[in-house]
């Protein structure tokens, strides 16, 4: 269970996210994640497919009396994994992935392209509003600092909506 304080991360937000992902990935509502369920959960939480060896290590950390990873163990393992990540570095990686032209900033066209891939049904008007919100100085570019501020604001909103405290 999420009982330890994780530096720079809201504990209840991590728990909430872990519980939500677990329930979405628990195919058949077995009460545990199978090997395949676990891979999908890691993709949902971290954005990458775990290697065979990483999956083996995670599966070995499951309960002895369970054929997979039960809910509480999953939340604990993923919480530790999330807390080990450097939030600044993670934000920098995401920004770099979005900055396909390596300019150090995002233009409206970049932003539209990103949202078209990530959320294809999102109305263009909403994407434009998000861009305007993120472009703090209204120069038509989203700098890394602008991006970082929006990400921080988003995390704060997630935590306030779940009642999380730092």
């Amino acid at each position: 269970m999420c009982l330890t304080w994780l530096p720079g991360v809201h504990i209840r937000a991590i728990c909430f996210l872990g519980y939500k992902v677990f329930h979405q990935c628990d195919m058949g509502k077995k009460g545990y994640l199978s090997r395949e369920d676990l891979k999908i959960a890691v993709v949902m939480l971290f954005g990458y497919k775990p290697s065979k060896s990483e999956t083996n290590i995670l599966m070995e950390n499951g309960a002895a009396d369970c054929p997979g990873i039960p809910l509480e163990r999953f939340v604990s393992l993923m919480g530790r994994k999330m807390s080990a990540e450097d939030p600044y570095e993670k934000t920098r990686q995401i920004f770099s992935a979005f900055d396909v032209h390596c300019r150090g900033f995002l233009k409206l066209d970049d932003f539209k392209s990103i949202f078209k891939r990530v959320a294809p049904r999102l109305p263009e008007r909403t994407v434009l509003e998000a861009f305007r919100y993120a472009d703090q100085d209204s120069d038509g570019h989203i700098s890394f600092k602008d991006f970082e501020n929006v990400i921080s604001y988003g995390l704060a909103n997630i935590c306030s909506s779940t009642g999380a405290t730092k």
Side-chain angles (χ1 to χ4, degrees):
M1 197 150 188
C2 296
L3 298 176
T4 57
W5 184 79
L6 307 171
V9 181
H10 296 279
I11 296 168
R12 287 192 186 130
I14 287 177
C15 289
F16 175 77
L17 189 58
Y19 282 98
K20 186 172 180 162
V21 168
F22 180 91
H23 290 296
Q24 288 175 340
C25 294
D26 180 11
M27 300 301 160
K29 307 300 176 214
K30 307 171 295 295
Y32 63 87
L33 297 182
S34 68
R35 183 178 197 80
E36 291 306 310
D37 297 341
L38 180 62
K39 289 180 192 177
I40 294 167
V42 171
V43 169
M44 288 176 72
L45 287 170
F46 300 99
Y48 73 92
K49 181 180 175 189
S51 67
K52 188 175 186 176
S53 62
E54 182 179 2
T55 304
N56 288 341
I57 290 168
L58 290 169
M59 291 301 290
E60 289 168 7
N61 281 295
D65 61 340
C66 183
I69 307 285
L71 174 64
E72 294 299 324
R73 190 70 184 135
F74 173 77
V75 171
S76 174
L77 288 168
M78 295 304 109
R80 275 191 271 147
K81 188 169 174 56
M82 286 177 166
S83 70
E85 290 187 329
D86 178 3
Y88 175 85
E89 187 56 36
K90 188 70 174 170
T91 303
R92 176 58 76 185
Q93 287 174 351
I94 294 167
F95 182 82
S96 295
F98 290 168
D99 183 15
V100 295
H101 301 292
C102 301
R103 295 181 290 222
F105 59 85
L106 304 174
K107 291 178 138 184
L108 179 57
D109 288 340
D110 301 325
F111 214 65
K112 285 179 181 178
S113 174
I114 292 161
F115 276 93
K116 191 168 272 189
R117 284 181 285 158
V118 175
R121 293 191 175 107
L122 195 65
E124 188 170 336
R125 188 191 70 184
T126 304
V127 175
L128 183 57
E129 288 172 10
F131 182 84
R132 287 184 181 146
Y133 178 81
D135 183 14
Q136 297 287 309
D137 56 6
S138 302
D139 65 353
H141 300 93
I142 296 176
S143 66
F144 173 71
K145 191 70 181 159
D146 293 336
F147 187 79
E148 186 179 31
N149 289 337
V150 170
I151 296 293
S152 298
Y153 175 79
L155 178 59
N157 279 344
I158 289 170
C159 293
S160 66
S161 71
T162 62
T165 56
K166 212 172 192 186

